Amino acid sequence: KPNGIRFWPRSSFCTFNIVTPFFILTPMFSAKTYTARRHELRTKIGSGIILFPGNPLSPNNYPNNAYYFRQDSSFLYYFGLNVPSVVGVIDADTGEEALYGDDFTVEDIIWTGPQPTLREMGAGAGVTATFPMAELEKRLRRAISLGRRVHYLPPYRGETKLQLSELLGIRPALLHDYKSVDLMFAVAEMREKKSAEEVEEMERAFEIGYEMHTTAMKMCRPGVVERQIAGAIEGIAKSMGQGVSFPSIVSQHGETLHNLNADGVLEEGRLLLCDAGGETVEGYCSDHTRTYPVSGRFTQKQKDIYNIVLAAHDHVARIVKPHMMYTEIHHAAYMTLAEGLVGLGLLKGSAADAVAAGAMTMLMPHGLGHGLGMDVHDCEAMGERSFDFASIAERAAASGTCIYRAAWRIEPGTVMTDEPGLYFIPALIDKCRAEGLYKGIVDYDALDAYRDFGGIRIEDDILVTETGSRILGDRKIPVTAEEVESIVGR
């Protein structure tokens, strides 16, 4: 249905009647949870104004047709409202908490039906103070004139950049220069450690992922178009939750890490890689990958590589425990993969020598995994590719959160993906060979037999506990070669 949600700030945007995205008008957890989170954050920051812009609606191909709404995860974490065009404010000095936004007008209600007021919605998250959006700029400019710090996270959406620019008087190109590093680390430290109620949500996300992946396996057979499987599993994600947690990767070209092209027709003898996850109605994600034979049976060559990847996956699941460094876990996965490849004769010498030389980066050119939670790459909106940590490396190491994997320290409550893989990428192999890399370690002649192999990745989601870790879910998505073969094409 179309509706009449207002974009903010009203001075910059006008009212559009937009096809209704997915909204939830009541917080997912109790007001006590959100109040406690805001109190902890306020204590960590100490002083200044903390600003959390919620996401607006974003037009897809014309103003009346919006993308499905996805709330900013940090706003959702602290205020719980999955509705567009609302801003949360926390005064770290006085403890005041407020929501800024505009109630629906009669014009809006014609399209949406009666809606709760912002005050009514805020009460569910423990916020009693609400104001029209027009009041926010006045408040922030007054705080700035008094020399008070305004804390905000690095913006990742164009609309949010324009809003912050107007509210704070900072050119959009300079917003990253004034972001709050204090707030980045405080939010990441809190979101990193999942509470019991958050883990329960992630178990629900697993159930969505389980149905997606077992359905994909059953649909896999020669003649099926990749897009048919992608469409079916994304329908499951939408019927069981808010939708997919990221665009599904369903491809016979598994050597292309993020291959979103799904136009291939499944062929006898090839492998299909399916990397997909669901998001619960409340905004928590799952992320799993399985690779299986289109014909229903692995060839011996395929099974050999598959079992090497599975050995690395299982080894990681066994060793993860509190206080480990992510780099240590990644190295353990590389060692297991290298040992398997030495056994096949694709690598020469010892596994340790191959890893030390960097040869594994040619065959698994990605990190072992990433944080998972309200984002499928948890908190990466304010870390990794969006920010250069070189200038604050010591602080990043002290924080140890998933926003910077080079310094990530695994603690109880962390959820991380375990996703080793082996990929035979002709262009990368040829480049390394031409540059004379890994001489005496990589048997390039032997690799020639794998140029059309593709790639294999196996992925599950791991919760770190007080004593060790466990894979999320009350059952496992079929993962051994025999389990996969028993369900593919059935």
Side-chain angles (χ1 to χ4, degrees), residues 200-265:
E200 186 177 342
E201 280 302 315
M202 298 193 73
E203 298 278 12
R204 291 193 183 101
F206 164 81
E207 292 298 327
I208 301 173
Y210 181 91
E211 293 300 326
M212 293 171 71
H213 282 274
T214 53
T215 296
M217 290 178 182
K218 293 172 185 176
M219 291 181 67
C220 179
R221 59 176 59 85
V224 173
V225 180
E226 294 163 346
R227 184 177 300 281
Q228 291 176 265
I229 297 175
I233 65 176
E234 293 191 12
I236 289 169
K238 195 65 181 174
S239 68
M240 294 182 68
Q242 190 162 207
V244 295
S245 51
F246 58 96
S248 301
I249 301 166
V250 181
S251 175
Q252 293 170 107
H253 284 284
E255 77 280 8
T256 303
L257 301 184
H258 281 182
N259 191 349
L260 298 181
N261 183 299
D263 292 325
V265 179

Side-chain angles (χ1 to χ4, degrees), residues 272-447:
L272 181 68
L273 185 149
C274 179
D275 186 342
E279 184 172 316
T280 66
V281 168
E282 290 79 9
Y284 284 82
C285 300
S286 66
D287 184 6
H288 298 90
T289 306
R290 293 293 186 268
T291 311
Y292 28 90
V294 173
S295 62
R297 291 288 182 271
F298 289 102
T299 66
Q300 190 58 53
K301 181 191 288 188
Q302 291 169 345
K303 185 176 285 189
D304 288 342
I305 298 296
Y306 187 91
N307 283 334
I308 292 171
V309 176
L310 181 61
H313 167 277
D314 291 351
H315 180 60
V316 166
R318 285 192 299 270
I319 68 170
V320 168
K321 60 184 179 181
H323 318 310
M324 291 183 74
M325 297 300 294
Y326 163 77
T327 50
E328 178 185 355
I329 303 167
H330 175 83
H331 182 269
Y334 261 4
M335 283 294 294
T336 305
L337 293 172
E339 288 164 2
L341 293 173
V342 168
L344 283 184
L346 298 180
L347 297 180
K348 302 174 183 178
S350 72
D353 288 343
V355 173
M360 288 309 302
T361 62
M362 183 180 73
L363 297 163
M364 190 182 101
H366 64 72
L368 169 72
H370 50 81
L372 187 72
M374 299 185 84
D375 297 318
V376 72
H377 279 219
D378 220 24
C379 295
E380 277 193 22
M382 53 189 171
E384 287 294 325
R385 296 171 183 83
S386 67
F387 182 65
D388 179 7
F389 281 80
S391 63
I392 52 170
E394 290 185 10
R395 180 161 181 180
S399 176
T401 63
C402 63
I403 63 172
Y404 184 49
R405 279 179 266 179
W408 189 12
R409 186 176 55 254
I410 309 302
E411 300 291 358
T414 293
V415 177
M416 63 173 290
T417 62
D418 169 13
E419 50 178 314
L422 286 172
Y423 313 88
F424 299 89
I425 307 168
L428 181 57
I429 293 171
D430 291 345
K431 179 178 184 293
C432 293
R433 189 173 196 170
E435 294 175 357
L437 299 178
Y438 320 128
K439 281 185 176 179
I441 293 176
V442 174
D443 189 333
Y444 287 102
D445 291 335
L447 278 181

Side-chain angles (χ1 to χ4, degrees), residues 24-249:
I24 300 175
L25 301 178
T26 55
M28 69 185 97
F29 300 130
S30 69
K32 182 179 179 181
T33 292
Y34 297 106
T35 299
R37 287 174 178 176
R38 294 191 297 267
H39 175 77
E40 181 179 348
L41 180 66
R42 194 167 67 241
T43 301
K44 284 177 174 287
I45 297 300
S47 65
I49 302 290
I50 305 170
L51 189 64
F52 284 108
N55 282 335
L57 288 170
S58 294
N60 183 339
N61 53 345
Y62 62 94
N64 279 16
N65 186 28
Y67 288 105
Y68 284 107
F69 177 68
R70 178 53 161 87
Q71 184 60 280
D72 175 76
S73 294
S74 292
F75 176 88
L76 197 58
Y77 184 83
Y78 291 103
F79 291 92
L81 299 183
N82 199 15
V83 293
S85 306
V86 178
V87 176
V89 172
I90 303 169
D91 190 317
D93 294 286
T94 67
E96 180 191 356
E97 301 169 347
L99 289 166
Y100 288 79
D102 297 318
D103 288 332
F104 284 64
T105 66
V106 172
E107 179 186 346
D108 299 323
I109 292 170
I110 291 171
W111 298 91
T112 65
Q115 299 294 320
T117 65
L118 183 59
R119 181 176 294 274
E120 290 168 336
M121 289 188 285
V127 179
T128 57
T130 60
F131 302 94
M133 186 61 72
E135 296 297 316
L136 181 57
E137 183 176 355
K138 300 175 187 175
R139 176 174 185 173
L140 293 176
R141 292 301 177 93
R142 184 167 59 250
I144 292 170
S145 71
L146 295 173
R148 302 189 67 194
R149 174 78 187 275
V150 177
H151 300 270
Y152 63 88
L153 297 173
Y156 55 90
R157 283 197 180 188
E159 297 97 333
T160 307
K161 291 179 181 180
L162 292 175
Q163 182 202 25
L164 287 175
S165 177
E166 183 170 327
L167 289 172
L168 303 176
I170 301 171
R171 289 196 295 116
L174 298 179
L175 284 168
H176 271 261
D177 295 341
Y178 292 93
K179 64 186 172 295
S180 173
V181 173
D182 292 338
L183 186 60
M184 285 170 52
F185 283 120
V187 170
E189 287 161 7
M190 292 181 65
R191 286 179 53 188
E192 171 91 16
K193 297 179 180 179
K194 307 300 185 292
S195 66
E197 56 190 354
E198 288 182 286
V199 171
E200 186 177 342
E201 280 302 315
M202 298 193 73
E203 298 278 12
R204 291 193 183 101
F206 164 81
E207 292 298 327
I208 301 173
Y210 181 91
E211 293 300 326
M212 293 171 71
H213 282 274
T214 53
T215 296
M217 290 178 182
K218 293 172 185 176
M219 291 181 67
C220 179
R221 59 176 59 85
V224 173
V225 180
E226 294 163 346
R227 184 177 300 281
Q228 291 176 265
I229 297 175
I233 65 176
E234 293 191 12
I236 289 169
K238 195 65 181 174
S239 68
M240 294 182 68
Q242 190 162 207
V244 295
S245 51
F246 58 96
S248 301
I249 301 166

